[in-house]
Amino acid sequence: MPKSLFTCFLYLSPLLVFTQGFILTGRVVDESNLPVPFSNVVLYSADNVTFIEGTTTNEEGVFQFKNLKLNNYTIVISYLGFEESKSTFNIDKTLDLGVIILKEKIQTLDGVTVVAKRPTVKRMVDRLVFNVENSTLSNNNVLDVLKHTPGVLVHDGTITIKQSTPVIYINDRKVHLSPNEVQQLLEGTSANNIKSIEVITNPPAKYEAEGGAVLNIITSKNIIAGYNGSVFGNYKQGSEYPKYAFGTSHFFKTEKLNTYINYSNSPRKDYRHNSEFINFIENDQNTSRWETDFKRTRETSNHNINTTIDYEFNDNNSLGFSTMLLLAPREHTKTFVNSLTEVYNASHVLDSTFNTINRLVDETINLAFTVDYVHKFKKEGEKLVVSMHHTNYDFSSFQDVKTGYFLPNDPVAFRNNNFQTFSSQKIKLYTGQLDYELPINNSAQFEAGAKISNIDSESILTQYIFENGEKVVDLQNSDTFLYEEVNYAAYSSYSKDWGNWSLKSGVRIEYTDITGNSVSTKIINHKDYVKLFPSFYLLHRLNEHNNIYFNYNKRIYRPRYSELNPFKYFFNDNSYLTGDPNLKPQIDDVFTLGYTFNKDYTFELYYRYENDPTLEITFQDNDENILKYVNTNINTSISYGLDFTTYTRLANRWNISVLASIFYYENQFFALESGNELTKIDKWSLYGNLVNYFTLLKDKSLTLDMAYLYISPIVDGPKNVSSRHGLDLNLRKTLWTNKASISIGYIDVFNNQNFNTTTKYSNQDIFLMSRLENRLFTLGFNYKFGNSHLKDNQKQIDLEERDRLNAKNY
């Protein structure tokens, strides 16, 4: 090698090494020496001014920077709930910073030290907000979270708030599903990305006037670019059949795009065993008695797919698209019913029996699409939201019903009957909505908006009978029912805070135009009406720990499309369901007066007056010996009572949730099979739900939930429902720094949640014993992966937990 070339190589060698750059590594842990995955690690110039590079720690808490130049640097490490770590150093070689310990962020108040934490429950002027994002409940599914939400009662396959079924919203978007479909959707959705549950007992003018209370489920949003997801599954074993649910959720965010997709499936079989006793009456004397043993097995497998895509054009404009798809295929939606009825005469001597076999298959396709455009104006808080929605609902059902009639001690039927029913319903829903928010100043806000919706429904009912072995259409019990509804709505509201007072008031006006057309009878019913729905909320903070509030609003319940269909859907030879095209909308006036003391304990007095409620009432026809399930308006319903709720800490590792109510419920209705006389059914009732939350083990990774529910006898229309109670246990263990959890539980340990119903007035006498698969053994798991710890870096620190301290250290 020439000497000059060798000399050049010697001079260039350090430069070549330098251009390869240095590597900086380190490991971030908490004070328990556990890794803090997905911490933000940012490298600045030594003066802490110029940004150099940023990264996040991996699942072991390790970070790495490559190709660093010879220089002085400042490194800043942060994570929600911890104090920021900052250090300055010089890099002249590859450097390992070793273990870096993040300290939990604390706040000192009046000599008492607490961990800064968002409160679990917060009372707003028009709603109660239950924050679950940082609680152990986030490892459950959404339905489990609702079971623990103050003011919400989940039992017997229903979700109720103050004895009424709430309307479910997700991020202020209404969920257009039936109550049963909603339950399966929520059970199949992980609560991992749920930020809070808003319990809106009396919804303000912004929400549709249709329906009662609102449950608004608010989800968290990733604001750190990256991907995270979760998978879950659970298994329930009842007395007869197993039930499964499994699903997965995925989040992905770039600088402009935020996407979410969730899929769940819930294959299951459910068994119901009823015993029904009917005394048929004539001139106040029993003429016959029917005793029915009813057994039903229903197989379902609902597929739910939910997708949300949000794209931010810039800081002021964004576009969102969401879908909610429910698919219940025919091959996995089957029902088998076997009922045996013994007919006794007035002397209670067996006269005859009849055995009915019903095989039914269903199919449901429910496709919902929503597009939202959000524009934020220059003034902070001022925004315009334009939303369009479409739902395409397609349901079809086919049943084959065979009944054999037998004399006592004779195994050969003296008569057989067979009929088949095809029914379908297709609904197309279109809505357009505009919402505007304007902050007037720091303490006042104005809201206004408008909405138009159009509903087209086609219901087909075709019944087939067999004459001389030939299948023919039963024209007397077949029909096509067309329904169209157009609704125009506008609203405005004003809210203001001053001193210790908060006020919110608004009004919503809706014009509704309805046309119902029974094609076979050529009967067309047309209605239109205008209704005003005012709302008013007032809250006064007596001091830091106590407040008192009052609210009022008016609501409407429009009849469902199937409730307006006048034709008869036969379950068997001796019972059928029918609607009424002349049903009126139900109008409710609701008043609430509440008092919260010590931040955690709330008492509410309420009064609700329901005008023209629509109920499905069972009537026995004593002349024809037929049961009629009739959708009809009853005259009035009145309910008032006292509720108590709390979600609070009793000890360091023991929290409780209590929901209790004592209430009076009165129904007045016209007895259609008893001379149309006005009948009143009323009762004082009580229910209570107590949940204990115990945190176990040193690292708090094991929790035990013990829930006890008691419901006293209640009335539902003309029915008296017996008392029931049940104990639920659930043990949950979190693993791998809260990235996974497994659970084991027992629902209704002592199998005491079955109930009886009694309908007894005038010439009506029906008693029903209902036995369901209430006692369930449960197993579940949940696993989170990716950037699951980086949901929200707003770092909101709310010290309202100090109200619980009472001079104690936690």
Side-chain angles (χ1 to χ4, degrees):
M1 179 182 295
K3 182 177 180 180
S4 59
L5 183 60
F6 176 75
T7 303
C8 182
F9 174 78
L10 288 178
Y11 279 104
L12 288 175
S13 292
L15 181 61
L16 291 173
V17 173
F18 176 77
T19 57
Q20 291 177 2
F22 303 114
I23 298 174
L24 175 68
T25 59
R27 184 168 182 263
V28 181
V29 300
D30 61 16
E31 292 170 293
S32 299
N33 203 36
L34 295 173
V36 183
F38 313 114
S39 303
N40 293 320
V41 185
V42 182
L43 206 59
Y44 295 93
S45 59
D47 56 9
N48 201 24
V49 173
T50 304
F51 170 80
I52 305 298
E53 190 175 347
T55 186
T56 60
T57 58
N58 64 16
E59 296 184 3
E60 300 300 321
V62 175
F63 65 88
Q64 184 182 80
F65 293 98
K66 295 182 179 180
N67 299 321
L68 296 179
K69 297 179 180 179
L70 175 69
N71 209 336
N72 295 321
Y73 294 92
T74 294
I75 191 170
V76 178
I77 303 174
S78 62
Y79 188 73
L80 184 65
F82 291 88
E83 293 182 358
E84 189 177 81
S85 173
K86 182 186 296 186
S87 59
T88 301
F89 48 86
N90 174 260
I91 287 187
D92 55 6
K93 60 181 180 180
T94 292
L95 179 64
D96 182 0
L97 295 179
V99 175
I100 302 168
I101 299 175
L102 292 185
K103 296 181 179 181
E104 197 168 30
K105 184 176 291 185
I106 60 174
Q107 179 75 33
T108 302
L109 296 170
D110 301 328
V112 180
T113 302
V114 299
V115 176
K117 185 179 177 181
R118 298 168 69 184
T120 306
V121 179
K122 188 171 184 179
R123 166 66 61 183
M124 311 295 286
V125 66
D126 61 346
R127 67 195 66 193
L128 182 142
V129 181
F130 184 47
N131 294 299
V132 298
E133 187 175 24
N134 296 323
S135 74
T136 57
L137 292 178
S138 61
N139 289 317
N140 297 334
N141 61 56
V142 180
L143 185 63
D144 286 334
V145 172
L146 291 184
K147 292 178 181 178
H148 302 297
T149 301
V152 180
L153 188 63
V154 180
H155 74 96
D156 192 28
T158 60
I159 303 171
T160 60
I161 297 176
K162 294 189 185 301
Q163 298 86 56
S164 67
T165 302
V167 182
I168 306 298
Y169 283 73
I170 298 178
N171 295 327
D172 279 326
R173 296 167 177 166
K174 185 177 179 180
V175 177
H176 295 273
L177 295 173
S178 71
N180 181 59
E181 292 167 347
V182 164
Q183 283 227 30
Q184 294 200 30
L185 167 68
L186 299 180
E187 189 174 22
T189 304
S190 171
N192 179 43
N193 71 313
I194 301 302
K195 181 178 182 180
S196 62
I197 307 292
E198 297 182 349
V199 183
I200 312 173
T201 307
N202 296 324
K206 177 180 178 179
Y207 294 92
E208 291 183 19
E210 171 80 23
V214 164
L215 274 177
N216 189 25
I217 300 169
I218 304 298
T219 61
S220 302
K221 287 188 177 181
N222 288 8
I223 64 172
I224 297 295
Y227 164 78
N228 72 73
S230 67
V231 293
F232 81 94
N234 64 60
Y235 162 80
K236 298 178 182 179
Q237 179 61 55
S239 59
E240 298 290 332
Y241 299 108
K243 302 111 180 34
Y244 306 92
F246 55 88
T248 181
S249 298
H250 300 270
F251 306 82
F252 179 73
K253 178 175 174 59
T254 64
E255 182 180 355
K256 298 282 188 180
L257 188 67
N258 197 344
T259 63
Y260 163 75
I261 184 170
N262 169 265
Y263 166 78
S264 66
N265 187 15
S266 50
R268 59 188 293 152
K269 279 188 176 182
D270 294 285
Y271 178 74
R272 182 166 196 155
H273 185 189
N274 292 346
S275 297
E276 187 176 53
F277 306 88
I278 306 172
N279 289 315
F280 289 98
I281 300 170
E282 184 178 349
N283 298 324
D284 297 327
Q285 298 294 321
N286 289 354
T287 57
S288 65
R289 177 180 172 90
W290 286 8
E291 297 183 1
T292 300
D293 186 62
F294 173 95
K295 297 177 181 178
R296 185 189 70 187
T297 301
R298 179 163 175 79
E299 175 188 355
T300 58
S301 182
N302 287 3
H303 300 265
N304 288 285
I305 305 171
N306 305 305
T307 303
T308 301
I309 302 173
D310 292 315
Y311 184 80
E312 296 183 1
F313 297 100
N314 50 48
D315 291 341
N316 296 326
N317 297 278
S318 63
L319 185 68
F321 173 75
S322 65
T323 64
M324 187 172 293
L325 314 179
L326 182 146
L327 307 174
R330 184 179 302 274
E331 58 268 23
H332 296 300
T333 311
K334 303 174 182 179
T335 303
F336 176 77
V337 176
N338 186 351
S339 65
L340 176 64
T341 300
E342 296 177 337
V343 180
Y344 295 87
N345 60 24
S347 302
H348 201 69
V349 175
L350 182 63
D351 180 72
S352 63
T353 63
F354 58 89
N355 182 218
T356 299
I357 303 295
N358 185 335
R359 290 181 171 87
L360 182 145
V361 293
D362 295 341
E363 184 172 67
T364 303
I365 300 174
N366 194 338
L367 312 178
F369 307 92
T370 302
V371 176
D372 296 304
Y373 169 72
V374 180
H375 174 70
K376 298 178 181 178
F377 295 89
K378 293 183 179 179
K379 183 176 181 178
E380 184 176 357
E382 183 183 6
K383 69 176 182 179
L384 176 70
V385 180
V386 180
S387 177
M388 291 180 291
H389 174 86
H390 171 60
T391 290
N392 194 322
Y393 177 85
D394 191 342
F395 169 83
S396 61
S397 173
F398 178 82
Q399 68 170 355
D400 181 44
V401 183
K402 296 178 179 179
T403 304
Y405 294 84
F406 304 84
L407 295 173
N409 303 316
D410 188 349
V412 179
F414 68 85
R415 183 167 68 92
N416 290 292
N417 189 46
N418 182 204
F419 70 87
Q420 296 176 345
T421 308
F422 171 79
S423 62
S424 69
Q425 184 173 43
K426 295 181 179 180
I427 301 173
K428 295 184 183 298
L429 166 66
Y430 300 90
T431 68
Q433 184 169 339
L434 185 147
D435 298 286
Y436 175 69
E437 298 179 12
L438 173 65
I440 299 173
N441 50 46
N442 292 333
S443 63
Q445 179 160 316
F446 171 77
E447 294 180 341
K451 181 177 182 178
I452 180 173
S453 62
N454 178 267
I455 300 167
D456 283 304
S457 171
E458 178 188 60
S459 299
I460 298 175
L461 177 64
T462 305
Q463 183 155 303
Y464 301 93
I465 58 177
F466 291 82
E467 295 179 351
N468 301 320
E470 294 292 326
K471 180 178 175 180
V472 296
V473 176
D474 181 2
L475 296 176
Q476 295 299 314
N477 291 296
S478 300
D479 186 32
T480 296
F481 182 70
L482 306 177
Y483 176 86
E484 182 179 6
E485 176 184 309
V486 180
N487 182 270
Y488 302 90
Y491 75 90
S492 66
S493 71
Y494 172 80
S495 61
K496 181 173 177 60
D497 297 326
W498 73 99
N500 294 322
W501 292 86
S502 293
L503 167 72
K504 187 170 186 176
S505 64
V507 65
R508 186 180 184 96
I509 183 171
E510 294 192 359
Y511 168 74
T512 305
D513 186 281
I514 296 172
T515 302
N517 180 6
S518 176
V519 175
S520 64
T521 62
K522 298 181 180 179
I523 296 176
I524 298 176
N525 290 278
H526 178 264
K527 294 180 182 178
D528 66 318
Y529 51 85
V530 177
K531 299 289 184 182
L532 280 174
F533 302 95
S535 59
F536 177 81
Y537 311 85
L538 183 65
L539 182 145
H540 177 52
R541 300 170 189 84
L542 302 174
N543 51 47
E544 198 173 22
H545 304 277
N546 305 278
N547 61 61
I548 188 170
Y549 56 91
F550 169 81
N551 55 61
Y552 161 77
N553 76 347
K554 184 184 289 287
R555 308 291 291 167
I556 187 172
Y557 293 81
R558 297 182 180 89
R560 302 298 89 192
Y561 326 124
S562 58
E563 295 170 350
L564 296 164
N565 193 335
F567 265 64
K568 302 171 183 176
Y569 182 91
F570 280 85
F571 301 111
N572 53 49
D573 291 352
N574 306 289
S575 66
Y576 64 80
L577 169 69
T578 186
D580 181 357
N582 295 307
L583 286 178
K584 303 174 186 176
Q586 171 185 331
I587 304 295
D588 288 5
D589 290 280
V590 185
F591 302 83
T592 305
L593 177 65
Y595 174 63
T596 299
F597 74 96
N598 202 26
K599 297 293 293 182
D600 294 327
Y601 308 96
T602 298
F603 290 92
E604 281 190 352
L605 286 168
Y606 74 91
Y607 176 86
R608 181 171 65 240
Y609 182 86
E610 304 172 3
N611 191 44
D612 295 321
T614 298
L615 287 180
E616 181 186 294
I617 298 180
T618 305
F619 295 104
Q620 63 186 68
D621 184 333
N622 291 293
D623 295 328
E624 301 293 334
N625 285 11
I626 289 179
L627 275 184
K628 303 176 180 179
Y629 299 87
V630 181
N631 289 293
T632 184
N633 286 119
I634 69 174
N635 191 41
T636 59
S637 288
I638 297 173
S639 177
Y640 50 83
L642 174 65
D643 292 351
F644 170 73
T645 58
T646 186
Y647 190 95
T648 189
R649 176 185 296 171
L650 292 185
N652 188 22
R653 291 171 176 251
W654 180 16
N655 284 34
I656 66 165
S657 171
V658 179
L659 169 61
S661 179
I662 181 170
F663 61 95
Y664 172 79
Y665 199 31
E666 173 189 305
N667 294 301
Q668 294 187 22
F669 61 95
F670 294 100
L672 301 184
E673 297 296 328
S674 307
N676 238 18
E677 65 182 61
L678 185 63
T679 304
K680 183 175 81 170
I681 304 291
D682 63 337
K683 185 180 288 293
W684 278 95
S685 301
L686 168 72
Y687 67 78
N689 191 32
L690 169 65
V691 186
N692 291 272
Y693 307 93
F694 298 99
T695 304
L696 310 172
L697 299 183
K698 184 178 180 180
D699 62 357
K700 301 182 179 181
S701 63
L702 184 65
T703 60
L704 172 64
D705 296 348
M706 299 176 60
Y708 179 76
L709 170 68
Y710 171 77
I711 304 176
S712 75
I714 61 174
V715 294
D716 180 20
K719 296 184 295 187
N720 278 274
V721 184
S722 67
S723 65
R724 72 201 91 164
H725 61 96
L727 175 67
D728 298 345
L729 302 174
N730 189 67
L731 193 67
R732 184 179 298 274
K733 179 71 170 69
T734 59
L735 307 167
W736 309 321
T737 321
N738 204 35
K739 291 185 67 63
S741 68
I742 56 175
S743 64
I744 183 171
Y746 221 138
I747 299 173
D748 194 14
V749 174
F750 301 109
N751 200 27
N752 290 320
Q753 290 206 32
N754 289 310
F755 58 91
N756 306 325
T757 64
T758 303
T759 303
K760 193 174 179 64
Y761 64 90
S762 189
N763 62 353
Q764 304 288 299
D765 189 354
I766 306 172
F767 178 76
L768 175 70
M769 295 173 57
S770 180
R771 295 182 290 278
L772 305 169
E773 291 185 280
N774 295 313
R775 181 158 55 183
L776 299 169
F777 171 74
T778 66
L779 286 173
F781 78 91
N782 182 47
Y783 177 69
K784 297 175 283 188
F785 47 87
N787 294 359
S788 57
H789 288 75
L790 289 178
K791 287 185 180 176
D792 195 330
N793 68 351
Q794 295 181 24
K795 302 183 181 179
Q796 297 174 346
I797 303 300
D798 194 330
L799 300 176
E800 294 187 16
E801 283 281 317
R802 68 178 184 264
D803 299 322
R804 298 180 177 176
L805 296 180
N806 297 322
K808 295 180 181 179
N809 292 306
Y810 292 106

